[in-house]
Amino acid sequence: MSINFVTDKVNLRVDGRVATLEMNRPETLNAMDTDVIKGLVCKLKEISDSDEIDIVVITGRGRAFSAGGDIKTMLSNINESDFFPVMDCISELIITLYSMPKLTISAVSGAAAGLGFSLALATDYIIADKTSMLAMNFIGIGLIPDGGAHFFLEKRLGETKAKQVIWDGKMLSADEALKQGLIQEVAEGELQQTLESRIADWLSRPVQAMIKTKKIMAEKNRPQLLKILELEKYGQQKMRGTIDHQEGIKAFIEKRKPRYIGK
């Protein structure tokens, strides 16, 4: 992908050693279409090449972190020939974020659901606002998680609990997500204040040593993450062809409860 991809759907701010990437589709609760995904990839690669930046914060503008993949454009109306390129863009985003030589933080307010939650899980540290809600809710439209979620959930929870979270697809409060080990911190006061405290703490440490530990672990785990992303891509293609998925999409658009038949 060209590093020169330009979009106004992703904003980048740099303040000293900290870069903040903001998803900028507030009218859709920052649903991730291909422009958002490509914009994030390009900005992350740009940041990776900078020796001046040590910490990257990912956030969403407005009322949500990200409601997930843009269902209407990415899942229901997408041409079949475009599906794999979109999934490859998602894989590139996740691998770039997970393995970049910077410390990464997701600052979650409002919803972090589906692919939005996968994106947050790919960062080193998740801080959630007290009122935020998090969900691995692909099951709600007859799909499997993507964005490396199988990898990240198993790492955080173990296989048995990861399957339960995926199969339940429940919306979790910040406190519930913290209790399960899905996130690292819940902001007791203002999210921005908690974020700034965490950043100040990290900047006072020998950050290069922290980054080296991250790089060692990322290098060790990279082959497994790549394998999971590939399995998710082909698994998702199969799920898109099911009757249950078509029903899930229809019910979502019609704002009603889906009637699944297991086919």
Side-chain angles (χ1 to χ4, degrees), residues 141-161:
I141 51 169
L143 293 177
I144 59 169
D146 52 35
H150 289 87
F151 171 87
F152 297 118
L153 290 174
E154 187 188 3
K155 284 283 180 195
R156 287 178 184 245
L157 305 177
E159 182 180 335
T160 303
K161 287 183 180 175

Side-chain angles (χ1 to χ4, degrees), residues 19-20 27 67 125 155-156 179 210 212 254:
T20 300
E27 72 285 356
Y125 199 91
K155 284 283 180 195
R156 287 178 184 245
K179 191 176 177 183
M210 295 169 71
K212 179 55 76 175
E254 293 172 2

Side-chain angles (χ1 to χ4, degrees), residues 20-23 25-26 28-31 57-68 105-113 116-117 119-120 125-135 171-174 183 185-187 189-195:
T20 300
L21 269 180
E22 179 187 65
M23 290 173 278
R25 292 188 76 206
T28 67
L29 299 181
N30 298 311
V57 176
I58 304 219
T59 188
R61 187 176 179 190
R63 296 185 296 119
F65 179 79
S66 172
I105 301 174
S106 289
V108 175
S109 60
F117 194 11
L119 178 72
Y125 199 91
I126 302 174
I127 302 173
D129 186 79
K130 188 83 172 168
T131 60
S132 63
M133 302 296 287
L134 305 98
M171 195 65 82
L172 302 169
S173 69
I183 66 175
E185 190 172 355
V186 176
E190 290 291 320
L191 176 62
Q192 189 60 33
Q193 197 175 355
T194 305
L195 175 63

Side-chain angles (χ1 to χ4, degrees), residues 51-122:
D51 292 332
E52 310 304 314
I53 295 168
D54 290 324
I55 296 174
V56 180
V57 176
I58 304 219
T59 188
R61 187 176 179 190
R63 296 185 296 119
F65 179 79
S66 172
D70 192 319
I71 288 176
K72 289 181 183 176
T73 61
M74 289 180 64
L75 298 177
S76 60
N77 300 328
I78 190 172
N79 292 326
E80 205 54 46
S81 61
D82 294 336
F83 176 71
F84 281 157
V86 170
M87 292 299 286
D88 288 340
C89 283
I90 291 171
S91 296
E92 188 176 6
L93 168 59
I94 296 302
I95 247 338
T96 301
L97 179 57
Y98 176 70
S99 56
M100 72 187 301
K102 313 291 176 190
L103 302 179
T104 56
I105 301 174
S106 289
V108 175
S109 60
L115 182 59
F117 194 11
S118 298
L119 178 72
L121 289 168

Side-chain angles (χ1 to χ4, degrees), residues 11 68 102 123 153 172 178 246 248 258:
N11 297 326
K102 313 291 176 190
T123 58
L153 290 174
L172 302 169
L178 179 68
Q246 299 308 320

